[in-house]
Amino acid sequence: MKLLITLLLPIILISCNCSESQKTEWALALHGGAGNMNKSSFSKENITEYEKALEEALLIGEKMLSEGHDAMDVVEKVVRNLEDNPLFNAGKGAVFTNDGRNELDAAIMDGRDLNAGAVAGVGDIRNPISAARLIMEKSPHVLLVGKGASKYCAENGIVTVDSSYFYTEKKWQSLQRALQKAGKNGTVGCVALDKSGSLAAATSTGGMTNKRYGRVGDVPIIGAGTYANNNTCAVSATGHGEYYIRYTVAHDISALMEHKNLTLQQAAEKVINGKLSNEAGNGGIIAVDKNGNIVLEMNSTGMFRAWANADGEKGVAIFNDDDK
Ligand code: ASP
C-alpha cells in the first residue's frame, strides 16, 4: 500500500490544481472601483496617478502583514488610506447624490467569528470604515444608518467633519454629467489573510453618482458587497450595487466554496462572469481564500486593483487585459 501511494503521489500532485491549494504565509488584495473604462480616455499621467495610489495602499498592507499584524487592522488601515485619497469614490472623494449631497456606506467583516459592522448614508464621518469597525466592536448591532450612525460614532470618538469636506470639483462635475446620463461606478476595498490564518474584508464607497438620496448600496449589506469567513474566503465587491444585493454576490462565492467545493477562482467566475454578467451587474470582486489564493474577477473593462503575497508575488493593474 505504502509503495502504491509512493508511486501514485507524483501523478496525483501533477493532476491537481496546485496553485489553488498552495499555502502562502499572508496575502492581500485591494481595489479602487470597477467599471467600463475606456483606455483611450486615460492620459499617461492619469494612469500613473492611479498606479501610485494603489501601490501606496498596497505597501501599507504588505508591511503590516509581513510584520504579523491582524487582518482586521490591515484591511481597515488600507481602506482608510484609500478613503483619504480624493481619486477614489470613498471618504474624501465620495460622489454626490441626485440632490448634491454625499452619503457614504462602508462595511468590515472578521472571518474568525463572522462578526461584522457597517454604516450607511452618513455624510459627516471622515473614515466610514473605522465607523463600521466601531459599530462591530462596541455596539450590539451590525448596521447603523444616517444621523443615528453619526451620533453614535461621534459619541465614541470617531472623527466627524463638516459636509464640505467631501466637496471635490471632479465629483461635482461628474454629478452634473450624470444628471444628463447614467451614473458611474467606483468604490474601494481590501481583503487580507494574515499569518495566523485569519481572513478579513473591508469595503467603503460614496455609492453611485446621482443615486437617489437615501439609497443604500451593496457595500454595507453583509454578504452582498462584503463578506469574510475563515473557512472559505474574504470578498470585497465593486459594481452596480442593486445587482450585488439581489445576487448576494460576496456570500454566494463563499457558499459555492463551502457547499459545492468549488475553488475560489471557479466560484468567482461563476458568480461574476456567469450569473451577474447575464444581467446588467457590471463590476468585479477581489478575494482571497484561506490558503492565500488571490482572485481578481471582473465583467467590466477595468478594475483598479493591486495584490501581494508573502512569496513576493505582487502587482498593480487597471484594465481587464492587463496581467491578473
Ligand atoms: N457598489 C457600489 C454601490 O452600488 C458602487 C461601486 O462599487 O462602484 O454603491
Side-chain angles (χ1 to χ4, degrees), residues 107-265:
I108 193 163
M109 186 161 183
D110 189 338
R112 281 175 291 214
D113 50 9
L114 307 188
N115 209 357
V119 72
V122 291
D124 59 356
I125 291 178
R126 187 186 158 125
N127 290 105
I129 200 64
S130 296
R133 185 160 186 187
L134 171 90
I135 290 162
M136 174 189 133
E137 286 174 350
K138 298 257 158 58
S139 85
H141 308 299
V142 170
L143 170 61
L144 290 183
V145 305
K147 287 200 181 104
S150 294
K151 188 160 187 290
Y152 180 79
C153 292
E155 281 168 7
N156 285 281
I158 290 285
V159 176
T160 56
V161 287
D162 185 79
S163 58
S164 60
Y165 169 78
F166 299 108
Y167 184 89
T168 56
E169 184 60 23
K170 201 170 155 194
K171 301 294 161 60
W172 180 252
Q173 289 311 332
S174 109
L175 170 65
Q176 306 317 310
R177 285 193 301 276
L179 285 170
Q180 282 138 34
K181 47 186 185 86
K184 199 181 172 299
N185 298 345
T187 276
V188 305
C190 181
V191 291
L193 169 74
D194 67 23
K195 284 187 177 176
S196 75
S198 281
L199 289 165
T203 320
S204 182
T205 188
M208 292 176 78
T209 301
N210 195 23
K211 65 183 178 182
R212 190 178 167 85
Y213 77 87
R215 176 261 192 190
V216 173
D218 59 312
V219 167
I221 310 294
I222 301 303
T226 309
Y227 193 73
N229 182 339
N230 272 13
N231 294 325
T232 53
C233 61
V235 182
S236 170
T238 174
H240 193 148
E242 278 68 12
Y243 292 93
Y244 282 69
I245 295 173
R246 290 181 196 133
Y247 284 84
T248 51
V249 164
H251 181 260
D252 200 25
I253 292 171
S254 166
L256 284 167
M257 294 177 73
E258 190 171 355
H259 304 300
K260 288 251 178 174
N261 254 328
L262 297 197
T263 63
L264 176 59
Q265 180 67 54

